[in-house]
Structure formats: structure tokens, C-alpha cells
Amino acid sequence: MSILAVGSIAFDCIATPAGRVENALGGSATYFSLAASYFTDVRVVAVVGEDFSAEQENILKKRKIDTRGIEHAKGKTFRWGGQYLENLNEAKTDFTELNVFEKFQPRIPKEYRDSKFLFLGNIHPTLQAAVRREMDGVRLTGGDTMNYWIQGFRQDLHETLKLVNVLLINDGEAKMLAGESNLPRAANKVLAMGPQALVIKHGEYGATIFFREGAFGIGSHPFRAPALPIDEVKDPTGAGDSFAGGFMGYIASQEELNREVLKRALFYGGVMGSFAVERFGTERLQALTREEIEARFQIFRELTHLA
Amino acid sequence: MSILAVGSIAFDCIATPAGRVENALGGSATYFSLAASYFTDVRVVAVVGEDFSAEQENILKKRKIDTRGIEHAKGKTFRWGGQYLENLNEAKTDFTELNVFEKFQPRIPKEYRDSKFLFLGNIHPTLQAAVRREMDGVRLTGGDTMNYWIQGFRQDLHETLKLVNVLLINDGEAKMLAGESNLPRAANKVLAMGPQALVIKHGEYGATIFFREGAFGIGSHPFRAPALPIDEVKDPTGAGDSFAGGFMGYIASQEELNREVLKRALFYGGVMGSFAVERFGTERLQALTREEIEARFQIFRELTHLA
């Protein structure tokens, strides 16, 4: 079933110990859509500037992503520059030029209204909530957020969290949002804010999904998926959005919506995140095959499953 | 089959956000032996002072641990005091009184010579090597070490690593030992130093076992076991040694020595570590049942295994 992704499209300038790249197509909606496109139909709502070329749009179109919801505004596309030092877990931002993204007001095309799955990328929580309220018929909404919104827009974020079924954040964001340093306790506090399930991403250690008691199944046992031990991470940019794309894309491809599906989705999230970081920008996500994805899923399984 | 543990016995003074305890029986040999005792016969070589009482020895004897190798020396038993703040991953040492442990020279009783498994707790690498050389007939040797030996006694440690089949260390130790910040690359460098397998403990994120190409089976794929998401860690002291005890104890209880056994052992390591931190000191490890252990093993499995 179709999934609608709302988020950013950006030009990224990235430097890592493995090299550098200038003005590569990036942004949360880009990584998410490319990753999800291997599982289901994807529609995008985002904004770009006059410097966004047909060639760049073709990167999405080649993956059969519906780009009719990309608004072309006057001005320049969002640009971000950052570098990763030896510790690839954290980016040091060199510059952020919001440009047309600053006044981004997501507009959902009529043709997108029947989308059954919705992903709210990391934008202002009030915009996230507005999009969610417009989309009556969705079966499941996934959402992302970050420290900036947790610290400065907590009340808005709380409103949005009531509308999100699955929140995907990292360890630090979960602890900050809950005001709690113990991770399982933090997870329970976040679940009490609204979401039925919470995915906490642990970077190279994988991810855990916590369920609200009774949500999507019986009990409240968490589930953990690994990340792939990777010899050389070329570029960690977009790993989280690619994870979300694999996770949500797999869910949207399934008839059922239960814990087993969400658990497998957590594995596919890790799989797509592991592909994303193997090359710079979205390069690896542009030309995968379903066979490569399934082969890596098997590696993830062998990495964690006893005979 | 019997396992011989060589390490420290200590009196610990521990403060954590959950409370405090004074002069609790601790030390690497204590935690390791108690954890391993649920799987196989355990023999201990360690040193204590005149302040070590029959009551304290009984904690080990009740678990049928052979204590004939505990040397009673003149002076006081090793004492350690430390505290854990909000971040329970790291202890702040208040005091270390080595006492009789300072001149510890492990002596292996004749009755211990037929031990088929050996665990070298965190002591001077030269002492570890000497013990290993005395034990001709062992099938598998596990070893621990720490930053102190990696930084100050690297040459001695390198000699010891040639004699150890499975090294168990944490992320920071692996990176320091290898001089390499990428974990899989660090693992490969450590494996090139001697061990056939390397267990890297990630604290609350579990542990990964890396195999040297062809060791214990085919290929070189790593395997990852989880840690239990725990709402309240009462006292992290001894978690690593309890992990090692579960890991080595399970291996010693099996006829075969192959990758599947080592993988299951990694789970049992996590299981015993998870019990250790639930109460202060060794309290939880003193009175477990095999049923409780198997039930928790199932929880670990459900935490990570797809249907």
C-alpha cells in the first residue's frame, strides 16, 4: 500500500575520513523515499528551490517515487554541510542554509489523500500534526523528531506525539524527551505520551522497539534488531532516515499489522541503514535489488539467531 | 567438565543511585565462579587475607565451588570502593587497597590439574601466562584484561594473548588494544594477536563474538547477543565477570566445542550478567535456579528472534 513521506530535500556537503562529496542530493524525505521504494509505492511532499534540476528529480523518479508533491518554490534549495571525524556517530555541522525550507508548508496533493501509511520526517512538530490531521484514512503514522524540537517546542511536540503511532528516535533523543537516563524507563515515559510503539535507534548497536501494553499484540516485551558490523562506514548521513524508510516501507508492504510484522520491519530498517552508509550520499540506495536486500536480511538473521 | 577460575576475591564498598553496600564479597573470581557454578564444576585459585571468614567462603561452597585453591595469606583481603552515578556504565573508584592481592602468585593445586577449561581473570598478564603454561590439558582458555594492562604492560599482554583462545573485553578495551576506532576492524586486529575468538561486551547493548577465519567452524561471521533492557540496575559491579562465568560455564557444560555452542554461550553470558546487576554484590547470583536461568534465556531469545 502507498506510503506518503513528508520531510526535507537538501543538497549536502559532507566530509568523512573516507572522502568528501559536494551538493549531493540528501534530506530526510530523499533518504526515506529511496529506502522505502524497494518495498512499496512512495509519494513525497517536500519543497525545493529553483536550483533543483530535473536530473536530481530523476533520482527519485527512477525508483518510481511519485514526486508530484514536491513544491518548487522561488529561491534556493535547503543546503547542509557537515563533517564526521573519527567517531562517525556524530556530525559536526559546518553550515545550515534553510532557504526555501524555512517557510515550508506541506501541501498534500489530492492524489495522495488515499495513502494508507504516513511518515512525518523531522520537521516542525506543528507541521507534522497538521499533515497528520489532513490524512484521515491512514492506517499507521510513523514520525521522527530531534533534540532541537524536544528542547524548544516541547508543547507542540507533545500534541504531535498523540497523533503518531510509531515514533523513531535515537537513545539521546529518547532520554531527553523523557527526562530519564535509564533507557527502558525512558521508553515507557515516551509511550505514555501517545505512540503505541517506540523505535529507539542505537547506531552501531542496532535498534529496539518498545510496545505499549497490548499495542499490536499481547504483552509489552521489547524486541531488538542488530546493526551490521561494518568495516568501513563511508558516510553515516541519512542512516536514520534510511532506517525509517526500510522500517515503514516493509510495514506498508504487508497485509497484516502486528508485532511480528513490526519486528521484521525493524530488521529491514537496519538492512537499509547498513546499505546507506556504505557509499556517499544516496548512491547505494539508488541502485539496489530486492535480492541484495533479502541477502542482507539473511545476514542480519544469522548475526542474531541461534540454530 | 571442570573449569578453573583464576582471579581476585575482594571486599567491595559500592554506592549506586539505588543504595549502598559495605564489604560485600566481590572480585572477578567470585562473580565468575558463582555464575559458572550453575552450569558446571568450578575450581578457584585466588588469595584472601586473615579477615576472610568461613562464612564468606561458604557463599562459594554452597554453590559447590571447590575452594581448595584459595590461598590464605597474612594481611588483609583486597578491598575496593567505588560509586556509580546516573550513568551506570562507569564506576568512579573511591579507593583500591590491593593488600594480599599485591603479591598474588597463583598456585594451582594438584587436584585442579585435570581441569579442561580455564578462565584467566583480570590479573597481571604475566601471571595469566604462567598459569596457562602450567595447565597442559585444557581444551579452551578464556581471558579477561583491562585498560591498565593494555596501556602499561602491552608486551606482556601480547605474550598472553597467544595463549588465550577466547578473549573477553569491552568496546573501549578492544579499541585501545587494537589502536583502532572502528569496532570490526579493531576485532580483526585483536584476533591477529592470538585468540581464535573475541567477545566484545557492549554493556546495555549486549555483546558480539568475532571469530578468526575458520576457528570453531566455517567462515568468519560475527554473532551478536542482546542484553536485557532493565528498568532498574541496582549495582553493575561484577556484570562483566558474571557474563564471563555464564559464557565459559555453558561452554564447559557441553560435549562439543563449535560455533553454535559459543553463540549460545554468548546468550548465557548475557543472562548471567543480567541477573548480577539486579541486586547488590553477588546476592542474586547466590540463589538462582536453573529454571530461572532457562526462563531468562527464553526472554533473551524472544527479544531477538523472529518467528
Side-chain angles (χ1 to χ4, degrees):
Chain A
M1 279 173 279
S2 285
I3 187 162
L4 167 58
V6 183
S8 60
I9 292 179
F11 293 145
D12 291 340
C13 300
I14 306 158
T16 84
R20 57 191 305 127
V21 69
E22 300 283 332
N23 297 311
L25 185 66
S28 64
T30 305
Y31 281 100
F32 179 93
S33 300
L34 287 171
S37 73
Y38 292 93
F39 300 91
T40 194
D41 293 334
V42 183
R43 298 150 168 190
V44 192
V45 166
V47 64
V48 296
E50 294 153 302
D51 50 356
F52 187 78
S53 66
E55 197 190 333
Q56 281 146 345
E57 193 161 334
N58 267 334
I59 291 175
L60 301 175
K61 282 185 172 169
K62 268 192 213 150
R63 290 294 318 143
K64 304 211 191 309
I65 295 163
D66 190 333
T67 59
R68 286 175 293 178
I70 297 179
E71 176 192 343
H72 293 255
K74 274 202 174 153
K76 283 184 164 184
T77 302
F78 180 18
R79 286 181 78 237
W80 177 80
Q83 50 187 297
Y84 301 84
L85 305 178
E86 261 311 297
N87 176 0
L88 287 160
N89 292 321
E90 218 172 330
K92 186 185 155 293
T93 292
D94 291 328
F95 64 85
T96 305
E97 299 170 8
L98 289 176
N99 301 325
V100 296
F101 189 59
E102 191 169 4
K103 311 241 160 176
F104 178 43
Q105 292 282 348
R107 268 170 251 161
I108 319 292
K110 274 221 170 67
E111 303 88 340
Y112 285 12
R113 302 261 165 189
D114 62 350
S115 306
K116 291 297 174 205
F117 293 85
L118 174 62
F119 180 69
L120 302 166
N122 169 33
I123 58 176
H124 193 303
T126 300
L127 296 179
Q128 291 179 316
V131 170
R132 173 62 189 85
R133 288 199 182 94
E134 275 192 69
M135 299 291 295
D136 283 340
V138 298
R139 284 183 76 189
L140 186 116
T141 301
D144 186 14
T145 192
M146 67 181 291
N147 296 352
Y148 178 74
W149 308 116
I150 296 170
Q151 286 175 308
F153 301 82
R154 186 171 279 270
Q155 203 45 54
D156 299 326
L157 184 57
H158 276 287
E159 288 307 309
T160 303
L161 288 180
K162 293 174 191 165
L163 306 171
V164 166
N165 302 107
V166 185
L167 181 68
L168 297 100
I169 51 182
N170 66 30
D171 284 50
E173 290 157 356
K175 289 175 182 179
M176 182 185 282
L177 181 54
E180 165 65 56
S181 65
N182 173 284
L183 207 60
R185 279 209 302 265
N188 283 331
K189 287 192 180 179
V190 173
L191 289 173
M193 295 174 191
Q196 281 96 57
L198 170 65
V199 172
I200 303 186
K201 296 168 286 177
H202 315 307
E204 64 177 314
Y205 302 117
T208 307
I209 184 164
F210 294 88
F211 297 101
R212 210 202 287 180
E213 179 73 38
F216 304 110
I218 295 163
S220 62
H221 296 303
F223 183 77
R224 189 162 280 188
L228 194 68
I230 296 180
D231 274 13
E232 188 179 42
V233 171
K234 283 250 168 70
D235 172 13
T237 311
D241 294 306
S242 306
F243 181 101
F247 176 81
M248 292 288 296
Y250 177 75
I251 293 172
S253 75
Q254 300 295 299
E255 286 296 315
E256 300 286 318
L257 188 50
N258 56 37
R259 289 213 184 167
E260 200 52 37
V261 167
L262 290 170
K263 289 174 184 182
R264 292 178 72 91
L266 204 68
F267 268 66
Y268 280 108
V271 164
M272 299 312 289
S274 78
F275 281 122
V277 304
E278 284 183 350
R279 306 251 180 94
F280 275 86
T282 60
E283 190 187 333
R284 190 78 175 97
L285 293 183
Q286 291 178 34
L288 282 167
T289 65
R290 198 54 205 255
E291 289 66 37
E292 285 176 305
I293 292 169
E294 292 309 320
R296 184 152 299 180
F297 182 89
Q298 269 313 112
I299 292 175
F300 271 67
R301 190 188 259 274
E302 283 162 23
L303 183 62
T304 50
H305 282 52
L306 297 169
Chain B
M1 281 173 277
S2 287
I3 187 163
L4 166 58
V6 183
S8 61
I9 292 179
F11 293 145
D12 290 341
C13 299
I14 305 157
T16 84
R20 55 191 306 127
V21 71
E22 299 283 332
N23 296 313
L25 185 65
S28 64
T30 304
Y31 281 100
F32 178 93
S33 300
L34 287 170
S37 73
Y38 292 93
F39 300 91
T40 194
D41 293 333
V42 183
R43 299 151 167 187
V44 192
V45 165
V47 64
V48 297
E50 293 152 305
D51 51 356
F52 187 76
S53 68
E55 198 189 331
Q56 282 147 341
E57 192 160 334
N58 267 334
I59 291 175
L60 302 175
K61 281 184 173 170
K62 267 190 212 152
R63 289 296 317 145
K64 303 210 190 314
I65 294 164
D66 190 333
T67 59
R68 286 176 293 178
I70 297 179
E71 177 192 342
H72 293 257
K74 275 204 176 154
K76 284 184 163 185
T77 301
F78 180 17
R79 285 181 79 237
W80 178 80
Q83 49 187 300
Y84 301 84
L85 304 178
E86 264 309 296
N87 176 1
L88 286 160
N89 291 321
E90 218 173 328
K92 185 184 153 294
T93 293
D94 291 326
F95 64 84
T96 305
E97 301 170 7
L98 290 176
N99 299 326
V100 297
F101 189 62
E102 192 171 3
K103 310 240 158 174
F104 178 44
Q105 293 282 347
R107 268 170 252 161
I108 319 294
K110 274 222 170 64
E111 303 88 341
Y112 284 14
R113 302 262 164 186
D114 62 350
S115 306
K116 291 296 176 205
F117 292 85
L118 173 63
F119 180 70
L120 302 166
N122 169 32
I123 58 175
H124 193 302
T126 300
L127 296 180
Q128 291 179 316
V131 169
R132 174 62 189 86
R133 289 200 181 95
E134 274 193 69
M135 300 290 295
D136 283 338
V138 297
R139 281 182 79 188
L140 185 116
T141 301
D144 186 13
T145 194
M146 69 181 290
N147 296 353
Y148 179 73
W149 309 116
I150 296 169
Q151 287 174 307
F153 301 82
R154 187 170 276 270
Q155 203 45 55
D156 299 327
L157 183 57
H158 275 287
E159 288 307 309
T160 303
L161 288 179
K162 293 176 191 165
L163 306 171
V164 166
N165 303 107
V166 185
L167 181 68
L168 296 101
I169 51 182
N170 66 31
D171 283 49
E173 290 158 354
K175 290 175 182 176
M176 182 185 283
L177 181 54
E180 166 63 57
S181 66
N182 173 284
L183 209 58
R185 279 210 300 266
N188 282 331
K189 286 192 180 180
V190 173
L191 288 172
M193 296 174 190
Q196 280 96 58
L198 170 65
V199 173
I200 302 186
K201 297 169 286 179
H202 315 307
E204 65 177 312
Y205 302 117
T208 306
I209 185 164
F210 294 89
F211 298 101
R212 208 201 289 179
E213 179 73 36
F216 304 110
I218 295 163
S220 61
H221 296 303
F223 183 77
R224 189 162 279 187
L228 194 68
I230 296 178
D231 274 12
E232 189 180 41
V233 171
K234 283 250 166 71
D235 172 14
T237 311
D241 294 307
S242 305
F243 181 101
F247 176 81
M248 291 288 297
Y250 177 76
I251 293 172
S253 76
Q254 301 296 299
E255 286 295 314
E256 299 285 319
L257 187 52
N258 56 39
R259 288 211 184 167
E260 200 53 36
V261 167
L262 268 73
K263 289 175 182 180
R264 293 179 71 91
L266 204 69
F267 269 66
Y268 280 108
V271 164
M272 299 312 289
S274 78
F275 281 123
V277 304
E278 283 183 352
R279 307 251 180 92
F280 274 87
T282 60
E283 191 187 334
R284 191 77 175 100
L285 293 183
Q286 291 176 33
L288 283 167
T289 64
R290 196 54 205 254
E291 288 67 37
E292 287 176 304
I293 292 169
E294 292 309 319
R296 183 150 301 180
F297 182 89
Q298 268 314 112
I299 293 175
F300 271 67
R301 190 188 260 277
E302 282 161 23
L303 182 62
T304 50
H305 283 51
L306 297 168

